[in-house]
Amino acid sequence: MSLEILEQLEAKVQMAVDTISLLQMEIEELKEKNETLSTESNSIREGREALEQENARLKADHEAWQQRIRSLLGKIEEVE
């Protein structure tokens, strides 16, 4: 009887060890996936920042051109 109990205990311990091993592999996979997603996130963030800078530059250029056009229109009106 005690041999049977020891065999059951051994089986349960082995199942626990197997489960722990599987969970450790899953943790490693999730760590790798997290690292990949973090890298992608940083890349996207840098791209967004570059686009925001480009947008600001284009807005400033647009405003400068509008000011030049207003100035030229004002000079044309003075001539007329």
Side-chain angles (χ1 to χ4, degrees), residues 26-57:
E26 187 175 341
I27 287 170
E28 287 304 315
E29 288 176 11
L30 290 173
K31 283 181 181 178
E32 290 172 9
K33 188 179 282 188
N34 187 37
E35 183 65 32
T36 301
L37 291 174
S38 179
T39 301
E40 288 177 14
S41 175
N42 288 338
S43 177
I44 290 170
R45 187 177 300 114
E46 290 170 2
R48 186 194 74 225
E49 289 171 358
L51 288 173
E52 287 173 347
Q53 290 173 359
E54 176 71 6
N55 187 34
R57 186 187 64 77

PDB file of all heavy atoms in Angstrom, residues 26-57:
ATOM      1  N   GLU A  26       6.970  29.008 -21.404  1.00  0.00           N
ATOM      2  CA  GLU A  26       5.982  30.019 -21.796  1.00  0.00           C
ATOM      3  C   GLU A  26       6.431  31.406 -21.346  1.00  0.00           C
ATOM      4  O   GLU A  26       6.288  32.382 -22.083  1.00  0.00           O
ATOM      5  CB  GLU A  26       4.621  29.675 -21.192  1.00  0.00           C
ATOM      6  CG  GLU A  26       3.505  30.581 -21.681  1.00  0.00           C
ATOM      7  CD  GLU A  26       2.142  30.152 -21.171  1.00  0.00           C
ATOM      8  OE1 GLU A  26       1.970  28.994 -20.750  1.00  0.00           O
ATOM      9  OE2 GLU A  26       1.242  31.005 -21.204  1.00  0.00           O
ATOM     10  N   ILE A  27       6.996  31.499 -20.159  1.00  0.00           N
ATOM     11  CA  ILE A  27       7.508  32.779 -19.657  1.00  0.00           C
ATOM     12  C   ILE A  27       8.606  33.302 -20.575  1.00  0.00           C
ATOM     13  O   ILE A  27       8.637  34.489 -20.917  1.00  0.00           O
ATOM     14  CB  ILE A  27       8.009  32.632 -18.201  1.00  0.00           C
ATOM     15  CG1 ILE A  27       6.834  32.494 -17.252  1.00  0.00           C
ATOM     16  CG2 ILE A  27       8.892  33.815 -17.799  1.00  0.00           C
ATOM     17  CD1 ILE A  27       7.217  32.101 -15.830  1.00  0.00           C
ATOM     18  N   GLU A  28       9.515  32.419 -21.004  1.00  0.00           N
ATOM     19  CA  GLU A  28      10.596  32.828 -21.904  1.00  0.00           C
ATOM     20  C   GLU A  28      10.041  33.324 -23.234  1.00  0.00           C
ATOM     21  O   GLU A  28      10.493  34.337 -23.775  1.00  0.00           O
ATOM     22  CB  GLU A  28      11.586  31.679 -22.125  1.00  0.00           C
ATOM     23  CG  GLU A  28      12.465  31.392 -20.942  1.00  0.00           C
ATOM     24  CD  GLU A  28      13.256  32.600 -20.470  1.00  0.00           C
ATOM     25  OE1 GLU A  28      13.840  33.313 -21.319  1.00  0.00           O
ATOM     26  OE2 GLU A  28      13.261  32.860 -19.246  1.00  0.00           O
ATOM     27  N   GLU A  29       9.044  32.602 -23.763  1.00  0.00           N
ATOM     28  CA  GLU A  29       8.411  33.039 -25.016  1.00  0.00           C
ATOM     29  C   GLU A  29       7.761  34.402 -24.842  1.00  0.00           C
ATOM     30  O   GLU A  29       7.870  35.275 -25.717  1.00  0.00           O
ATOM     31  CB  GLU A  29       7.369  32.018 -25.465  1.00  0.00           C
ATOM     32  CG  GLU A  29       7.943  30.722 -25.987  1.00  0.00           C
ATOM     33  CD  GLU A  29       6.865  29.701 -26.322  1.00  0.00           C
ATOM     34  OE1 GLU A  29       5.665  30.054 -26.341  1.00  0.00           O
ATOM     35  OE2 GLU A  29       7.228  28.543 -26.568  1.00  0.00           O
ATOM     36  N   LEU A  30       7.085  34.598 -23.727  1.00  0.00           N
ATOM     37  CA  LEU A  30       6.420  35.879 -23.477  1.00  0.00           C
ATOM     38  C   LEU A  30       7.432  37.000 -23.289  1.00  0.00           C
ATOM     39  O   LEU A  30       7.205  38.133 -23.725  1.00  0.00           O
ATOM     40  CB  LEU A  30       5.493  35.765 -22.266  1.00  0.00           C
ATOM     41  CG  LEU A  30       4.248  34.898 -22.483  1.00  0.00           C
ATOM     42  CD1 LEU A  30       3.500  34.714 -21.162  1.00  0.00           C
ATOM     43  CD2 LEU A  30       3.333  35.490 -23.538  1.00  0.00           C
ATOM     44  N   LYS A  31       8.564  36.698 -22.659  1.00  0.00           N
ATOM     45  CA  LYS A  31       9.619  37.706 -22.513  1.00  0.00           C
ATOM     46  C   LYS A  31      10.154  38.129 -23.881  1.00  0.00           C
ATOM     47  O   LYS A  31      10.365  39.313 -24.133  1.00  0.00           O
ATOM     48  CB  LYS A  31      10.770  37.166 -21.654  1.00  0.00           C
ATOM     49  CG  LYS A  31      10.486  37.149 -20.182  1.00  0.00           C
ATOM     50  CD  LYS A  31      11.693  36.613 -19.404  1.00  0.00           C
ATOM     51  CE  LYS A  31      11.437  36.557 -17.918  1.00  0.00           C
ATOM     52  NZ  LYS A  31      12.589  35.996 -17.186  1.00  0.00           N
ATOM     53  N   GLU A  32      10.366  37.142 -24.761  1.00  0.00           N
ATOM     54  CA  GLU A  32      10.842  37.447 -26.108  1.00  0.00           C
ATOM     55  C   GLU A  32       9.818  38.276 -26.872  1.00  0.00           C
ATOM     56  O   GLU A  32      10.166  39.243 -27.552  1.00  0.00           O
ATOM     57  CB  GLU A  32      11.152  36.154 -26.866  1.00  0.00           C
ATOM     58  CG  GLU A  32      12.361  35.416 -26.346  1.00  0.00           C
ATOM     59  CD  GLU A  32      12.543  34.051 -26.990  1.00  0.00           C
ATOM     60  OE1 GLU A  32      11.831  33.737 -27.964  1.00  0.00           O
ATOM     61  OE2 GLU A  32      13.409  33.296 -26.509  1.00  0.00           O
ATOM     62  N   LYS A  33       8.547  37.883 -26.760  1.00  0.00           N
ATOM     63  CA  LYS A  33       7.486  38.619 -27.444  1.00  0.00           C
ATOM     64  C   LYS A  33       7.395  40.040 -26.897  1.00  0.00           C
ATOM     65  O   LYS A  33       7.236  41.003 -27.651  1.00  0.00           O
ATOM     66  CB  LYS A  33       6.143  37.905 -27.269  1.00  0.00           C
ATOM     67  CG  LYS A  33       5.017  38.502 -28.101  1.00  0.00           C
ATOM     68  CD  LYS A  33       3.722  37.739 -27.907  1.00  0.00           C
ATOM     69  CE  LYS A  33       3.762  36.463 -28.704  1.00  0.00           C
ATOM     70  NZ  LYS A  33       2.455  35.761 -28.703  1.00  0.00           N
ATOM     71  N   ASN A  34       7.542  40.175 -25.586  1.00  0.00           N
ATOM     72  CA  ASN A  34       7.505  41.491 -24.957  1.00  0.00           C
ATOM     73  C   ASN A  34       8.655  42.359 -25.464  1.00  0.00           C
ATOM     74  O   ASN A  34       8.469  43.551 -25.746  1.00  0.00           O
ATOM     75  CB  ASN A  34       7.577  41.353 -23.433  1.00  0.00           C
ATOM     76  CG  ASN A  34       7.386  42.665 -22.724  1.00  0.00           C
ATOM     77  OD1 ASN A  34       6.592  43.494 -23.160  1.00  0.00           O
ATOM     78  ND2 ASN A  34       8.115  42.857 -21.636  1.00  0.00           N
ATOM     79  N   GLU A  35       9.833  41.780 -25.595  1.00  0.00           N
ATOM     80  CA  GLU A  35      10.993  42.514 -26.103  1.00  0.00           C
ATOM     81  C   GLU A  35      10.762  42.974 -27.539  1.00  0.00           C
ATOM     82  O   GLU A  35      11.052  44.109 -27.899  1.00  0.00           O
ATOM     83  CB  GLU A  35      12.250  41.640 -26.017  1.00  0.00           C
ATOM     84  CG  GLU A  35      13.508  42.334 -26.439  1.00  0.00           C
ATOM     85  CD  GLU A  35      13.903  43.482 -25.543  1.00  0.00           C
ATOM     86  OE1 GLU A  35      13.626  43.423 -24.326  1.00  0.00           O
ATOM     87  OE2 GLU A  35      14.488  44.459 -26.058  1.00  0.00           O
ATOM     88  N   THR A  36      10.196  42.082 -28.344  1.00  0.00           N
ATOM     89  CA  THR A  36       9.888  42.431 -29.733  1.00  0.00           C
ATOM     90  C   THR A  36       8.873  43.566 -29.795  1.00  0.00           C
ATOM     91  O   THR A  36       9.048  44.536 -30.540  1.00  0.00           O
ATOM     92  CB  THR A  36       9.340  41.198 -30.488  1.00  0.00           C
ATOM     93  OG1 THR A  36      10.319  40.166 -30.454  1.00  0.00           O
ATOM     94  CG2 THR A  36       9.000  41.527 -31.923  1.00  0.00           C
ATOM     95  N   LEU A  37       7.824  43.454 -29.001  1.00  0.00           N
ATOM     96  CA  LEU A  37       6.792  44.495 -28.994  1.00  0.00           C
ATOM     97  C   LEU A  37       7.344  45.813 -28.467  1.00  0.00           C
ATOM     98  O   LEU A  37       6.981  46.890 -28.956  1.00  0.00           O
ATOM     99  CB  LEU A  37       5.593  44.041 -28.164  1.00  0.00           C
ATOM    100  CG  LEU A  37       4.771  42.903 -28.771  1.00  0.00           C
ATOM    101  CD1 LEU A  37       3.707  42.440 -27.777  1.00  0.00           C
ATOM    102  CD2 LEU A  37       4.145  43.318 -30.083  1.00  0.00           C
ATOM    103  N   SER A  38       8.231  45.744 -27.502  1.00  0.00           N
ATOM    104  CA  SER A  38       8.848  46.952 -26.967  1.00  0.00           C
ATOM    105  C   SER A  38       9.693  47.639 -28.033  1.00  0.00           C
ATOM    106  O   SER A  38       9.650  48.864 -28.184  1.00  0.00           O
ATOM    107  CB  SER A  38       9.702  46.596 -25.752  1.00  0.00           C
ATOM    108  OG  SER A  38      10.334  47.737 -25.237  1.00  0.00           O
ATOM    109  N   THR A  39      10.442  46.846 -28.788  1.00  0.00           N
ATOM    110  CA  THR A  39      11.262  47.396 -29.870  1.00  0.00           C
ATOM    111  C   THR A  39      10.375  48.042 -30.933  1.00  0.00           C
ATOM    112  O   THR A  39      10.661  49.148 -31.402  1.00  0.00           O
ATOM    113  CB  THR A  39      12.131  46.285 -30.497  1.00  0.00           C
ATOM    114  OG1 THR A  39      12.961  45.726 -29.474  1.00  0.00           O
ATOM    115  CG2 THR A  39      12.996  46.812 -31.610  1.00  0.00           C
ATOM    116  N   GLU A  40       9.302  47.344 -31.304  1.00  0.00           N
ATOM    117  CA  GLU A  40       8.368  47.893 -32.292  1.00  0.00           C
ATOM    118  C   GLU A  40       7.731  49.183 -31.779  1.00  0.00           C
ATOM    119  O   GLU A  40       7.574  50.151 -32.534  1.00  0.00           O
ATOM    120  CB  GLU A  40       7.279  46.873 -32.621  1.00  0.00           C
ATOM    121  CG  GLU A  40       7.753  45.710 -33.443  1.00  0.00           C
ATOM    122  CD  GLU A  40       6.664  44.680 -33.695  1.00  0.00           C
ATOM    123  OE1 GLU A  40       5.469  44.968 -33.461  1.00  0.00           O
ATOM    124  OE2 GLU A  40       7.012  43.568 -34.124  1.00  0.00           O
ATOM    125  N   SER A  41       7.371  49.186 -30.513  1.00  0.00           N
ATOM    126  CA  SER A  41       6.762  50.370 -29.917  1.00  0.00           C
ATOM    127  C   SER A  41       7.714  51.556 -29.960  1.00  0.00           C
ATOM    128  O   SER A  41       7.320  52.676 -30.307  1.00  0.00           O
ATOM    129  CB  SER A  41       6.355  50.073 -28.467  1.00  0.00           C
ATOM    130  OG  SER A  41       5.875  51.235 -27.838  1.00  0.00           O
ATOM    131  N   ASN A  42       8.978  51.316 -29.628  1.00  0.00           N
ATOM    132  CA  ASN A  42       9.968  52.391 -29.676  1.00  0.00           C
ATOM    133  C   ASN A  42      10.152  52.906 -31.097  1.00  0.00           C
ATOM    134  O   ASN A  42      10.261  54.118 -31.319  1.00  0.00           O
ATOM    135  CB  ASN A  42      11.311  51.913 -29.110  1.00  0.00           C
ATOM    136  CG  ASN A  42      11.269  51.731 -27.617  1.00  0.00           C
ATOM    137  OD1 ASN A  42      10.438  52.304 -26.925  1.00  0.00           O
ATOM    138  ND2 ASN A  42      12.161  50.910 -27.096  1.00  0.00           N
ATOM    139  N   SER A  43      10.168  52.000 -32.048  1.00  0.00           N
ATOM    140  CA  SER A  43      10.314  52.382 -33.447  1.00  0.00           C
ATOM    141  C   SER A  43       9.127  53.238 -33.905  1.00  0.00           C
ATOM    142  O   SER A  43       9.306  54.265 -34.565  1.00  0.00           O
ATOM    143  CB  SER A  43      10.425  51.132 -34.309  1.00  0.00           C
ATOM    144  OG  SER A  43      10.491  51.466 -35.663  1.00  0.00           O
ATOM    145  N   ILE A  44       7.937  52.810 -33.534  1.00  0.00           N
ATOM    146  CA  ILE A  44       6.731  53.569 -33.900  1.00  0.00           C
ATOM    147  C   ILE A  44       6.746  54.941 -33.229  1.00  0.00           C
ATOM    148  O   ILE A  44       6.401  55.951 -33.852  1.00  0.00           O
ATOM    149  CB  ILE A  44       5.464  52.771 -33.527  1.00  0.00           C
ATOM    150  CG1 ILE A  44       5.336  51.555 -34.453  1.00  0.00           C
ATOM    151  CG2 ILE A  44       4.219  53.640 -33.597  1.00  0.00           C
ATOM    152  CD1 ILE A  44       4.271  50.567 -34.033  1.00  0.00           C
ATOM    153  N   ARG A  45       7.161  54.985 -31.968  1.00  0.00           N
ATOM    154  CA  ARG A  45       7.225  56.251 -31.246  1.00  0.00           C
ATOM    155  C   ARG A  45       8.207  57.214 -31.925  1.00  0.00           C
ATOM    156  O   ARG A  45       7.915  58.390 -32.112  1.00  0.00           O
ATOM    157  CB  ARG A  45       7.641  56.010 -29.791  1.00  0.00           C
ATOM    158  CG  ARG A  45       7.574  57.248 -28.923  1.00  0.00           C
ATOM    159  CD  ARG A  45       7.925  56.959 -27.455  1.00  0.00           C
ATOM    160  NE  ARG A  45       7.014  55.983 -26.872  1.00  0.00           N
ATOM    161  CZ  ARG A  45       7.355  54.764 -26.473  1.00  0.00           C
ATOM    162  NH1 ARG A  45       8.586  54.339 -26.575  1.00  0.00           N
ATOM    163  NH2 ARG A  45       6.457  53.947 -25.956  1.00  0.00           N
ATOM    164  N   GLU A  46       9.368  56.692 -32.317  1.00  0.00           N
ATOM    165  CA  GLU A  46      10.355  57.529 -33.003  1.00  0.00           C
ATOM    166  C   GLU A  46       9.807  58.027 -34.335  1.00  0.00           C
ATOM    167  O   GLU A  46      10.013  59.185 -34.705  1.00  0.00           O
ATOM    168  CB  GLU A  46      11.644  56.745 -33.213  1.00  0.00           C
ATOM    169  CG  GLU A  46      12.416  56.483 -31.937  1.00  0.00           C
ATOM    170  CD  GLU A  46      13.569  55.504 -32.120  1.00  0.00           C
ATOM    171  OE1 GLU A  46      13.797  55.042 -33.262  1.00  0.00           O
ATOM    172  OE2 GLU A  46      14.239  55.204 -31.115  1.00  0.00           O
ATOM    173  N   GLY A  47       9.110  57.146 -35.050  1.00  0.00           N
ATOM    174  CA  GLY A  47       8.497  57.551 -36.320  1.00  0.00           C
ATOM    175  C   GLY A  47       7.449  58.630 -36.118  1.00  0.00           C
ATOM    176  O   GLY A  47       7.377  59.589 -36.892  1.00  0.00           O
ATOM    177  N   ARG A  48       6.642  58.476 -35.074  1.00  0.00           N
ATOM    178  CA  ARG A  48       5.618  59.483 -34.785  1.00  0.00           C
ATOM    179  C   ARG A  48       6.261  60.823 -34.449  1.00  0.00           C
ATOM    180  O   ARG A  48       5.820  61.875 -34.926  1.00  0.00           O
ATOM    181  CB  ARG A  48       4.742  59.024 -33.619  1.00  0.00           C
ATOM    182  CG  ARG A  48       3.553  59.972 -33.377  1.00  0.00           C
ATOM    183  CD  ARG A  48       2.864  59.746 -32.056  1.00  0.00           C
ATOM    184  NE  ARG A  48       3.716  60.281 -31.008  1.00  0.00           N
ATOM    185  CZ  ARG A  48       3.996  59.672 -29.871  1.00  0.00           C
ATOM    186  NH1 ARG A  48       3.488  58.496 -29.606  1.00  0.00           N
ATOM    187  NH2 ARG A  48       4.768  60.235 -28.975  1.00  0.00           N
ATOM    188  N   GLU A  49       7.327  60.784 -33.653  1.00  0.00           N
ATOM    189  CA  GLU A  49       8.010  62.020 -33.289  1.00  0.00           C
ATOM    190  C   GLU A  49       8.591  62.699 -34.524  1.00  0.00           C
ATOM    191  O   GLU A  49       8.512  63.922 -34.663  1.00  0.00           O
ATOM    192  CB  GLU A  49       9.097  61.740 -32.256  1.00  0.00           C
ATOM    193  CG  GLU A  49       8.541  61.382 -30.891  1.00  0.00           C
ATOM    194  CD  GLU A  49       9.598  60.880 -29.910  1.00  0.00           C
ATOM    195  OE1 GLU A  49      10.789  60.764 -30.306  1.00  0.00           O
ATOM    196  OE2 GLU A  49       9.241  60.586 -28.758  1.00  0.00           O
ATOM    197  N   ALA A  50       9.155  61.906 -35.435  1.00  0.00           N
ATOM    198  CA  ALA A  50       9.698  62.472 -36.674  1.00  0.00           C
ATOM    199  C   ALA A  50       8.583  63.100 -37.503  1.00  0.00           C
ATOM    200  O   ALA A  50       8.753  64.196 -38.068  1.00  0.00           O
ATOM    201  CB  ALA A  50      10.417  61.387 -37.472  1.00  0.00           C
ATOM    202  N   LEU A  51       7.437  62.423 -37.575  1.00  0.00           N
ATOM    203  CA  LEU A  51       6.306  62.973 -38.324  1.00  0.00           C
ATOM    204  C   LEU A  51       5.777  64.249 -37.685  1.00  0.00           C
ATOM    205  O   LEU A  51       5.397  65.193 -38.388  1.00  0.00           O
ATOM    206  CB  LEU A  51       5.192  61.927 -38.434  1.00  0.00           C
ATOM    207  CG  LEU A  51       5.462  60.761 -39.378  1.00  0.00           C
ATOM    208  CD1 LEU A  51       4.353  59.722 -39.255  1.00  0.00           C
ATOM    209  CD2 LEU A  51       5.601  61.235 -40.814  1.00  0.00           C
ATOM    210  N   GLU A  52       5.746  64.294 -36.354  1.00  0.00           N
ATOM    211  CA  GLU A  52       5.294  65.506 -35.671  1.00  0.00           C
ATOM    212  C   GLU A  52       6.239  66.674 -35.955  1.00  0.00           C
ATOM    213  O   GLU A  52       5.791  67.803 -36.166  1.00  0.00           O
ATOM    214  CB  GLU A  52       5.183  65.257 -34.169  1.00  0.00           C
ATOM    215  CG  GLU A  52       3.998  64.384 -33.787  1.00  0.00           C
ATOM    216  CD  GLU A  52       3.967  64.003 -32.321  1.00  0.00           C
ATOM    217  OE1 GLU A  52       4.981  64.201 -31.611  1.00  0.00           O
ATOM    218  OE2 GLU A  52       2.923  63.489 -31.875  1.00  0.00           O
ATOM    219  N   GLN A  53       7.541  66.406 -35.975  1.00  0.00           N
ATOM    220  CA  GLN A  53       8.514  67.453 -36.289  1.00  0.00           C
ATOM    221  C   GLN A  53       8.345  67.929 -37.727  1.00  0.00           C
ATOM    222  O   GLN A  53       8.377  69.136 -38.008  1.00  0.00           O
ATOM    223  CB  GLN A  53       9.941  66.949 -36.060  1.00  0.00           C
ATOM    224  CG  GLN A  53      10.279  66.741 -34.599  1.00  0.00           C
ATOM    225  CD  GLN A  53      11.639  66.085 -34.414  1.00  0.00           C
ATOM    226  OE1 GLN A  53      12.330  65.757 -35.379  1.00  0.00           O
ATOM    227  NE2 GLN A  53      12.026  65.897 -33.167  1.00  0.00           N
ATOM    228  N   GLU A  54       8.158  66.980 -38.635  1.00  0.00           N
ATOM    229  CA  GLU A  54       7.949  67.329 -40.045  1.00  0.00           C
ATOM    230  C   GLU A  54       6.661  68.139 -40.204  1.00  0.00           C
ATOM    231  O   GLU A  54       6.618  69.129 -40.941  1.00  0.00           O
ATOM    232  CB  GLU A  54       7.882  66.057 -40.890  1.00  0.00           C
ATOM    233  CG  GLU A  54       7.586  66.280 -42.353  1.00  0.00           C
ATOM    234  CD  GLU A  54       8.730  66.897 -43.121  1.00  0.00           C
ATOM    235  OE1 GLU A  54       9.828  67.076 -42.558  1.00  0.00           O
ATOM    236  OE2 GLU A  54       8.522  67.228 -44.304  1.00  0.00           O
ATOM    237  N   ASN A  55       5.615  67.745 -39.494  1.00  0.00           N
ATOM    238  CA  ASN A  55       4.345  68.472 -39.542  1.00  0.00           C
ATOM    239  C   ASN A  55       4.529  69.910 -39.040  1.00  0.00           C
ATOM    240  O   ASN A  55       4.023  70.859 -39.649  1.00  0.00           O
ATOM    241  CB  ASN A  55       3.299  67.740 -38.711  1.00  0.00           C
ATOM    242  CG  ASN A  55       1.927  68.337 -38.847  1.00  0.00           C
ATOM    243  OD1 ASN A  55       1.565  68.824 -39.919  1.00  0.00           O
ATOM    244  ND2 ASN A  55       1.146  68.310 -37.783  1.00  0.00           N
ATOM    245  N   ALA A  56       5.259  70.077 -37.957  1.00  0.00           N
ATOM    246  CA  ALA A  56       5.497  71.411 -37.415  1.00  0.00           C
ATOM    247  C   ALA A  56       6.284  72.261 -38.415  1.00  0.00           C
ATOM    248  O   ALA A  56       5.995  73.452 -38.617  1.00  0.00           O
ATOM    249  CB  ALA A  56       6.243  71.324 -36.087  1.00  0.00           C
ATOM    250  N   ARG A  57       7.288  71.644 -39.054  1.00  0.00           N
ATOM    251  CA  ARG A  57       8.084  72.371 -40.045  1.00  0.00           C
ATOM    252  C   ARG A  57       7.219  72.791 -41.228  1.00  0.00           C
ATOM    253  O   ARG A  57       7.286  73.932 -41.698  1.00  0.00           O
ATOM    254  CB  ARG A  57       9.244  71.498 -40.526  1.00  0.00           C
ATOM    255  CG  ARG A  57      10.212  72.251 -41.453  1.00  0.00           C
ATOM    256  CD  ARG A  57      11.249  71.326 -42.059  1.00  0.00           C
ATOM    257  NE  ARG A  57      10.682  70.308 -42.929  1.00  0.00           N
ATOM    258  CZ  ARG A  57      10.268  70.526 -44.177  1.00  0.00           C
ATOM    259  NH1 ARG A  57      10.317  71.739 -44.711  1.00  0.00           N
ATOM    260  NH2 ARG A  57       9.788  69.542 -44.908  1.00  0.00           N
TER     261      ARG A  57
END
